């Protein structure tokens, strides 16, 4: 039991170290020594605790999802956290980590607690991990949430994975899995697990609502900008010239050129 808890502490320390911007935070010597013992490129979350909670089709590609919603310049996280009445949001930037594929970052915020056993709100640390495939058609977005002020908060984490796969030029499939991972034993595990997942489902619903409103207008503008006109101005000029020649050949009065308006495309 003690060995398992020690390993969990090492993995948590590694995740925290990798997700923070390099050089911004210093770790204690004993933590650094533990981190070096962990095998590189290990899984970011616990696969065995995950279960499917949602699947759908989104009106964007996997690459667009990352660029519009998750990239450092995106305001998506601020908007959906505000919609969920979270506050004191602080976001780190994406950075590469030797221990994991892709990129990692750390965000912190305070969120309102709905359980009578909990305080009015709690501090939360969320570690995020994103991997976009080489062809940019598949995206894996993983998160680990740690609530600090709730009862038994140090005993468990909420792990989640969003898997997106592009299916067309303007759509992708979405599969969401989540679960509670207990770093050490505590009483009321089943109740804590169900409560944590129910809270995450509410958070997920807010995320999806904001994501859809966030993606649709931006993708639509992008698609409009990329649309090429079927007929060019020069082709229209040729059509008008040919039509006038036909009218002249038939001794008819052609329509005046000044009445024909050309739209630049």
């Amino acid at each position: 039991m003690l060995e398992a808890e020690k390993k969990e502490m090492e993995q948590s320390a590694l995740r925290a170290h990798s997700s923070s911007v390099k050089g911004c935070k210093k770790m204690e010597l004993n933590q650094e020594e533990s981190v070096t013992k962990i095998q590189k490129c290990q899984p970011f979350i616990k696969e065995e605790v995950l279960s499917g909670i949602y699947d759908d089709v989104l009106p964007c590609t996997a690459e667009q999802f990352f660029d519009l919603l998750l990239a450092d310049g995106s305001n998506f996280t601020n908007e959906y956290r505000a919609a969920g009445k979270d506050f004191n949001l602080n976001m780190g930037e994406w950075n590469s980590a030797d221990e994991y594929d892709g990129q990692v970052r750390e965000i912190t915020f305070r969120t309102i607690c709905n359980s009578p056993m909990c305080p009015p709100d709690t501090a939360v640390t969320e570690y995020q991990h994103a991997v976009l495939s080489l062809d940019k058609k598949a995206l894996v977005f993983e998160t680990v949430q740690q609530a600090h002020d709730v009862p038994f908060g140090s005993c468990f984490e909420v792990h989640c994975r969003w898997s997106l796969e592009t299916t067309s030029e303007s759509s992708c499939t979405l599969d969401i899995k989540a679960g509670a991972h207990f770093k050490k034993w505590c009483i009321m595990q089943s109740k804590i697990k169900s409560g944590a997942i129910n809270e995450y489902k509410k958070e997920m619903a807010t995320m999806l609502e904001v994501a859809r409103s966030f993606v649709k207008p931006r993708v639509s503008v992008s698609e409009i900008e990329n649309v090429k006109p079927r007929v060019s101005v020069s082709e229209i000029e040729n059509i008008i010239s040919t039509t006038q020649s036909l009218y002249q050949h038939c001794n008819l009065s052609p329509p005046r050129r000044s009445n024909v308006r050309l739209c630049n495309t």
Side-chain angles (χ1 to χ4, degrees):
M1 180 68 71
L2 292 177
E3 186 64 28
E5 290 183 8
K6 181 180 178 181
K7 186 176 181 180
E8 291 294 341
M9 293 297 293
E10 290 175 347
Q11 291 179 334
S12 296
L14 175 63
R15 192 182 296 114
H17 173 69
S18 301
S19 300
S20 61
V21 177
K22 295 180 179 179
C24 290
K25 294 184 179 180
K26 294 183 179 180
M27 303 182 68
E28 295 180 1
L29 181 60
N30 61 343
Q31 289 180 317
E32 290 179 343
E33 291 174 348
S34 297
V35 166
T36 58
K37 296 178 183 178
I38 305 297
Q39 185 178 1
K40 292 185 177 182
C41 296
Q42 67 168 349
F44 192 78
I45 60 177
K46 295 290 185 180
E47 180 79 31
E48 61 270 19
V49 306
L50 301 180
S51 59
I53 60 173
Y54 186 81
D55 62 86
D56 202 351
V57 176
L58 297 180
C60 65
T61 65
E63 182 182 12
Q64 288 171 337
F65 185 93
F66 181 85
D67 291 341
L68 296 175
L69 277 66
L70 301 179
D72 285 330
S74 172
N75 200 42
F76 168 71
T77 301
N78 303 70
E79 291 195 19
Y80 90 75
R81 286 294 172 196
K85 298 182 180 180
D86 299 331
F87 56 101
N88 290 358
L89 174 66
N90 290 296
M91 296 182 59
E93 294 184 346
W94 289 108
N95 64 96
S96 59
D98 295 334
E99 301 84 3
Y100 305 106
D101 292 333
Q103 302 179 86
V104 292
R105 71 177 176 184
E106 174 185 325
I107 71 172
T108 60
F109 56 93
R110 295 196 70 87
T111 189
I112 296 174
C113 298
N114 298 311
S115 172
M117 297 178 60
C118 298
D121 58 80
T122 179
V124 178
T125 299
E126 180 174 288
Y127 303 107
Q128 299 184 345
H129 175 229
V131 181
L132 188 64
S133 63
L134 292 177
D135 61 5
K136 299 184 178 181
K137 292 184 178 181
L139 171 67
V140 175
F141 173 57
E142 299 174 325
T143 63
V144 174
Q145 286 187 358
Q146 176 78 64
H148 299 289
D149 305 320
V150 299
F152 308 107
S154 62
C155 297
F156 71 96
E157 300 167 332
V158 178
H159 290 205
C160 185
R161 173 183 292 153
W162 292 43
S163 300
L164 299 94
E165 186 172 353
T166 298
T167 54
S168 72
E169 293 182 355
S170 59
S171 66
C172 68
T173 57
L174 168 65
D175 178 68
I176 302 178
K177 296 181 178 180
H181 167 58
F182 287 86
K183 298 186 289 183
K184 55 185 177 181
W185 184 89
C186 67
I187 60 174
M188 303 174 64
Q189 283 196 11
S190 60
K191 187 172 184 178
I192 292 173
K193 179 179 179 180
S194 61
I197 298 305
N198 286 336
E199 286 300 314
Y200 185 80
K201 286 181 178 179
K202 295 177 184 178
E203 178 181 320
M204 178 196 69
T206 303
M207 290 178 68
L208 289 171
E209 182 180 359
V210 175
R212 289 184 181 279
S213 64
F214 212 80
V215 167
K216 276 189 175 181
R218 290 162 175 78
V219 172
S220 298
V221 170
S222 175
E223 290 174 347
I224 291 172
E225 290 176 347
N226 291 329
V227 170
K228 295 182 179 179
R230 294 183 179 179
V231 183
S232 65
V233 173
S234 61
E235 289 174 327
I236 295 175
E237 291 274 5
N238 291 334
I239 293 172
I240 293 173
S241 177
T242 302
T243 303
Q244 288 179 330
S245 298
L246 289 173
Y247 271 99
Q248 291 172 356
H249 180 73
C250 297
N251 295 321
L252 297 174
S253 298
R256 288 187 299 172
R257 186 181 180 87
S258 59
N259 291 336
V260 180
R261 296 183 179 180
L262 299 180
C263 297
N264 292 326
T265 57

